[in-house]
């Protein structure tokens, strides 16, 4: 299962995840972002930076609930940064709240941190090569993927999370279900690799959500609060790893403390070049250390979080030895997994740049709107299938403006833009030609000076769009049909005016033709009626004469018969 996934429906094509990713492990496909797994170091920046919450972290709460319901012995290993992640709880209140979720127990990962710090102390005494701490899984990912030549320098020891998981299973049984809770996304993948010691991972944000859903706030504190755990509690702050096993002098150039991915990568580059030759490098990916983890859920400043951790550590230091089987194996082998993508040649890069209108070096704005540091870097990403030409915002804006200008300039309709005071902001050539405004039509003058514009004012005042309004300008011999569109967002009114003079002329000619036709038809009907009447009159006289003759014949015939 992927540690980070993208909800495409939420992805709004903003490229913010590309900009924020320190290793550009984001690919864009048809405007949608995706995590490129073999490049991703799981720092979690894309999760925190996405304004639409399109990046989602794997959530195992349901699985953990199922294990609890099934009767498993579930133990939560709580990362030492918890004291800075839940300011709404007192320390012991938080432990009781987690217990009330149904888990069998809650322990501090600081136990594992103390085991790891003991190994670091021994390695520092024995090693002749620079040692890079291996507590931060993001740093391990960075080195294995992007600095394979430094893999040999990573401390060959497991992280505090894994060490603690091993101790829990050795003490309580291999069937114990161990859940790590912390502020780090990369721990999810690390737990999958170390499944024998860690069964599931909860982020602090997910844990807080779980507590909120169960309406667990503040509980009575029992006698089950944590016992002092020693210097391992310093681990989540920058310099804390060193603090756990030595008194570090910050002016000691052989011992380096560095936090923040960019700072760590800068240090690794310097190490490769030979600019520095330290004995030990404590490297943490998040600013300030683990207290700055991407899924801690607490937005307090780093200084406030650091204070909480230090105070908690000072009040809990102990000198007694940890109780665990010394035969447990805490060694880990790291493996280089460099990522390889095809690199285009100069002609191929130039061709890709040309597709977005970048012909010369001056055309390369290097604005970073696409998420890449330079146009050239983005062109390489396009070649590798990780980016698209349409990501270039200046190019797409220029393209859109060009299309719009072509349409407006060549439109046969007059287009006039005025502000709320009816001052002309812009117009197209058709406006001048339609009204024969050679000198009167200029930007900055009031439209009322050259034409009647009460309907413009009405649209501006009411915000209502006017459609299909016919207005005649007698002085210009012009009949128009107008659409008036208020745009309050930009404080302007846009008028699209169509010349319908010829249409009106044809309509009038057609009306005259109709009237003439009706007149002619009436005359024909009247004449036909007159003819019909004359014919009817003649037919009437003939019929009468015929009737009279026939009656006379009948009478004569009847008279002869009687005789």
């Amino acid at each position: 299962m992927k540690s980070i996934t993208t909800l495409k429906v939420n992805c709004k094509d903003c490229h913010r995840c590309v900009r924020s990713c320190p290793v550009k492990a984001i690919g864009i496909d048809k405007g949608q972002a995706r995590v490129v797994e073999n490049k991703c170091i799981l720092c979690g920046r894309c999760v925190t930076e996405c304004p639409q919450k399109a990046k989602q972290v794997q959530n195992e709460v349901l699985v953990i609930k199922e294990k609890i319901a099934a009767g498993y012995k579930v133990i939560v290993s709580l990362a030492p940064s918890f004291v800075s992640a839940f300011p709404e709880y007192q320390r012991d209140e938080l432990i009781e709240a987690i217990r009330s979720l149904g888990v069998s127990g809650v322990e501090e990962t600081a136990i594992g941190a103390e085991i790891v710090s003991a190994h670091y102390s021994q390695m520092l005494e024995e090693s002749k090569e620079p040692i890079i701490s291996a507590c931060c899984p993001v740093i391990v990912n960075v080195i294995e993927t992007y600095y394979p030549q430094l893999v040999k320098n990573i401390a060959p020891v497991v992280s505090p999370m894994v060490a603690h998981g091993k101790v829990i299973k050795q003490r309580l049984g291999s069937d114990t279900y161990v859940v790590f809770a912390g502020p780090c996304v990369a721990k999810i993948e690390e737990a999958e690799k170390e499944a024998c010691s860690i069964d599931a991972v909860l982020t602090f944000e997910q844990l807080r959500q779980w507590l909120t859903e169960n309406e667990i706030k503040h509980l009575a504190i029992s006698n089950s609060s944590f016992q002092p755990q020693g210097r391992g509690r310093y681990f989540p702050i920058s310099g804390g790893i060193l603090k756990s096993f030595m008194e570090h002098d910050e002016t000691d150039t052989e011992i380096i403390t560095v936090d923040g991915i960019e700072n760590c990568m800068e240090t690794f580059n310097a190490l490769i070049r030979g600019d520095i030759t330290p004995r030990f490098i404590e490297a943490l990916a998040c600013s300030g250390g683990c207290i700055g983890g991407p899924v801690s859920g607490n937005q307090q400043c780093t200084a406030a979080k650091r204070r909480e951790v230090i105070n908690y550590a000072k009040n809990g230091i102990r000198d007694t030895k940890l109780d665990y089987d010394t035969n447990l194996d805490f060694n880990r082998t790291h493996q280089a997994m460099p990522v390889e993508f095809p690199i285009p040649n100069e002609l191929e890069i130039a061709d890709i740049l040309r597709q977005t209108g970048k012909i010369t070096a001056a055309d390369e704005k290097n604005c970073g709107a696409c998420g890449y540091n330079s146009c050239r870097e983005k062109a390489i990403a396009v070649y590798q299938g990780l980016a698209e030409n349409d990501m270039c915002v200046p190019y797409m804006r220029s393209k859109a403006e060009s299309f719009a200008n072509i349409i407006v300039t060549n439109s046969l309709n007059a287009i006039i833009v005025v502000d709320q005071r009816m001052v002309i902001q812009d117009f197209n050539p058709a406006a001048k030609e339609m009204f024969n405004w050679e000198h009167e039509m200029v930007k900055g003058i009031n439209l009322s000076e050259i034409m009647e514009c009460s309907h413009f004012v009405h649209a501006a005042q009411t915000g209502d769009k006017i459609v299909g309004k016919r207005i005649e300008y007698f002085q210009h011999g012009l009949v128009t049909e107008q659409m008036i569109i208020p745009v309050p967002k930009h404080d302007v009114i846009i008028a699209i005016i169509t010349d319908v003079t010829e249409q009106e002329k044809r309509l009038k000619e057609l009306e005259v033709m109709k009237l003439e036709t009706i007149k002619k038809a009436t005359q024909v009907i009247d004449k036909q009626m007159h003819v019909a009447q004359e014919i009817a009159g003649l037919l009437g006289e003939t019929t009468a004469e015929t009737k009279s003759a026939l009656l006379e014949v009948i009478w004569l015939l009847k008279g002869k018969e009687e005789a």
Side-chain angles (χ1 to χ4, degrees), residues 193-495:
K193 294 177 180 178
E194 301 287 344
C196 59
S197 57
I198 300 295
D199 299 291
V201 170
L202 272 180
T203 70
F204 280 156
E205 286 183 347
Q206 293 165 355
L207 177 57
R208 175 179 281 103
Q209 182 63 30
W210 189 2
L211 292 170
T212 302
E213 289 174 356
N214 282 36
E215 297 183 350
I216 297 172
K217 296 180 179 179
H218 303 283
L219 302 173
I221 302 173
S222 67
N223 295 324
S224 59
S225 57
F226 287 158
Q227 297 299 316
Q229 296 298 332
R231 292 177 175 266
R233 288 175 170 174
Y234 284 111
F235 261 59
I237 61 173
S238 179
I241 297 175
L242 293 170
K243 177 74 173 176
S244 68
F245 68 90
M246 65 180 297
E247 292 299 330
H248 171 47
D249 180 357
E250 293 184 359
T251 62
D252 185 352
T253 57
E254 290 191 347
I255 307 294
I256 295 176
T257 298
V258 59
D259 60 288
I261 296 174
E262 286 80 5
N263 293 333
C264 290
M265 294 173 75
E266 182 182 40
T267 301
F268 299 153
N269 287 324
L271 181 61
I272 292 171
R273 290 193 304 268
D275 295 344
I276 56 175
T277 54
R279 295 170 56 212
F280 189 90
I281 300 176
E282 179 201 281
L284 297 173
C286 294
S287 178
C290 300
I291 56 175
V295 284
S296 66
N298 180 12
Q299 302 304 316
Q300 286 183 316
C301 70
T302 301
K305 294 177 182 179
R306 183 181 177 88
R307 179 195 61 207
E308 293 297 315
V309 171
I310 291 174
N311 288 340
Y312 184 61
K314 283 182 177 179
N315 293 330
I317 295 177
R318 69 171 186 181
D319 295 324
T320 55
K321 293 184 179 180
L322 293 173
D323 180 20
Y324 68 93
D325 187 349
T326 55
N327 292 321
L328 281 174
D329 184 11
F330 297 110
N331 293 317
R332 178 183 174 184
T333 301
H334 301 284
Q335 183 178 358
M337 296 179 291
V339 60
E340 295 182 1
F341 279 86
I343 302 298
N345 58 41
E346 290 302 318
L347 289 177
E348 290 168 327
I349 292 175
D351 181 59
I352 294 171
L353 289 170
R354 192 178 298 110
Q355 293 172 27
T356 53
K358 298 171 180 62
I359 311 301
T360 66
D363 297 325
E364 298 177 29
K365 304 302 181 184
N366 300 325
C367 65
C370 63
Y372 290 90
N373 297 320
S374 68
C375 297
R376 182 184 177 86
E377 184 180 330
K378 184 249 185 182
I380 294 173
V382 170
Y383 182 86
Q384 295 172 340
L386 301 176
E388 298 174 323
N389 281 331
D390 289 353
M391 290 169 62
C392 181
V393 176
Y395 168 70
M396 293 303 293
R397 178 179 178 180
S398 175
K399 185 177 179 180
E401 289 176 349
S402 177
F403 285 165
N405 288 336
I406 291 172
I407 293 170
V408 172
T409 301
N410 293 280
S411 174
L412 297 178
N413 295 325
I415 300 175
I416 303 172
V417 182
V418 298
D419 63 14
Q420 296 288 330
R421 297 172 297 147
M422 298 299 113
V423 175
I424 297 174
Q425 304 297 308
D426 206 351
F427 56 88
N428 68 340
K432 270 194 170 186
E433 184 178 346
M434 185 179 294
F435 291 92
N436 195 26
W437 284 324
E438 291 297 330
H439 304 292
E440 298 92 337
M441 189 72 163
V442 291
K443 295 180 183 179
I445 70 168
N446 198 289
L447 185 64
S448 62
E449 297 179 18
I450 56 176
M451 68 183 293
E452 200 283 323
C453 59
S454 59
H455 49 299
F456 281 73
V457 175
H458 175 77
Q461 291 175 344
T462 63
D464 297 331
K465 182 167 69 173
I466 299 174
V467 180
K469 187 174 183 63
R470 285 182 174 256
I471 298 178
E472 187 170 355
Y473 299 93
F474 298 101
Q475 70 274 30
H476 298 290
L478 186 65
V479 181
T480 65
E481 185 174 286
Q482 302 186 9
M483 178 185 291
I484 312 298
I485 308 170
V487 188
K489 183 178 180 179
H490 299 291
D491 196 31
V492 296
I493 297 92
I494 300 173

Side-chain angles (χ1 to χ4, degrees), residues 517-528:
T517 301
I518 293 171
K519 183 179 179 181
K520 290 292 184 183
T522 302
Q523 291 175 351
V524 170
I525 292 170
D526 289 344
K527 188 173 182 179
Q528 289 296 320

Side-chain angles (χ1 to χ4, degrees), residues 482-511:
Q482 302 186 9
M483 178 185 291
I484 312 298
I485 308 170
V487 188
K489 183 178 180 179
H490 299 291
D491 196 31
V492 296
I493 297 92
I494 300 173
I496 302 174
I497 304 174
T498 304
D499 183 355
V500 294
T501 305
E502 289 299 320
Q503 295 178 26
E504 286 290 313
K505 184 178 179 181
R506 285 194 294 272
L507 287 173
K508 288 180 179 179
E509 290 175 350
L510 182 60
E511 187 66 26

Side-chain angles (χ1 to χ4, degrees), residues 24-75:
K24 296 297 179 278
I26 302 292
I28 302 295
D29 183 17
K30 296 178 182 178
Q32 298 290 312
R34 59 182 173 85
V35 176
V36 183
E37 290 187 64
N38 61 340
K39 292 193 70 177
C40 181
I41 57 176
L42 294 172
C43 64
R45 279 196 190 172
C46 60
V47 176
T48 58
E49 288 292 329
C50 181
Q52 305 301 328
K53 306 301 179 185
K55 296 293 184 291
Q56 298 290 305
V57 178
Q58 178 180 327
N59 193 326
E60 298 183 287
V61 171
L62 290 178
V63 176
I64 298 168
K65 287 181 177 180
E66 290 174 358
K67 297 299 181 182
I68 293 173
Y72 279 73
K73 185 187 295 181
V74 178
I75 302 296

